[in-house]
Amino acid sequence: MSATVAAPAPVVFKAACPDCRARFELDATALRLAIGASRRTTFYSFTCPECGTAVRKPAGERIIELLTGGGVRTLRLHQTV
């Protein structure tokens, strides 16, 4: 008797492009999260799969929680003195 372990379903995030208005789903590898010292420097980004536009959107606490929990690569920006 062998136990079979099901692989977890990949996490996908719903997103939209402000330029071409396309709506789509992206996996964690298609997104980047940057966490800075302020709201202005905390954002997530992706490239629209429809039109190729680089999209950057603000990320609040809930978005940060969802993206990090879903395996999105995170860059912590440090303030230089």
Side-chain angles (χ1 to χ4, degrees):
M1 182 180 215
S2 68
T4 304
V5 177
V11 176
V12 293
F13 299 94
K14 291 183 180 184
C17 178
D19 280 7
C20 73
R21 299 246 193 254
R23 294 186 174 279
F24 38 83
E25 292 183 343
L26 298 170
D27 66 19
T29 61
L31 294 154
R32 298 291 174 265
L33 173 63
I35 300 175
S38 70
R39 287 182 179 210
R40 192 172 55 83
T41 58
T42 301
F43 60 90
Y44 65 99
S45 61
F46 58 90
T47 300
C48 175
E50 298 293 322
C51 70
T53 296
V55 179
R56 177 174 158 163
K57 295 188 174 186
E61 288 182 28
R62 181 71 179 134
I63 297 293
I64 292 168
E65 191 178 302
L66 290 170
L67 294 178
T68 56
V72 171
R73 192 164 61 189
T74 303
L75 173 65
R76 295 199 180 269
L77 306 173
H78 298 284
Q79 187 175 3
T80 56
V81 179

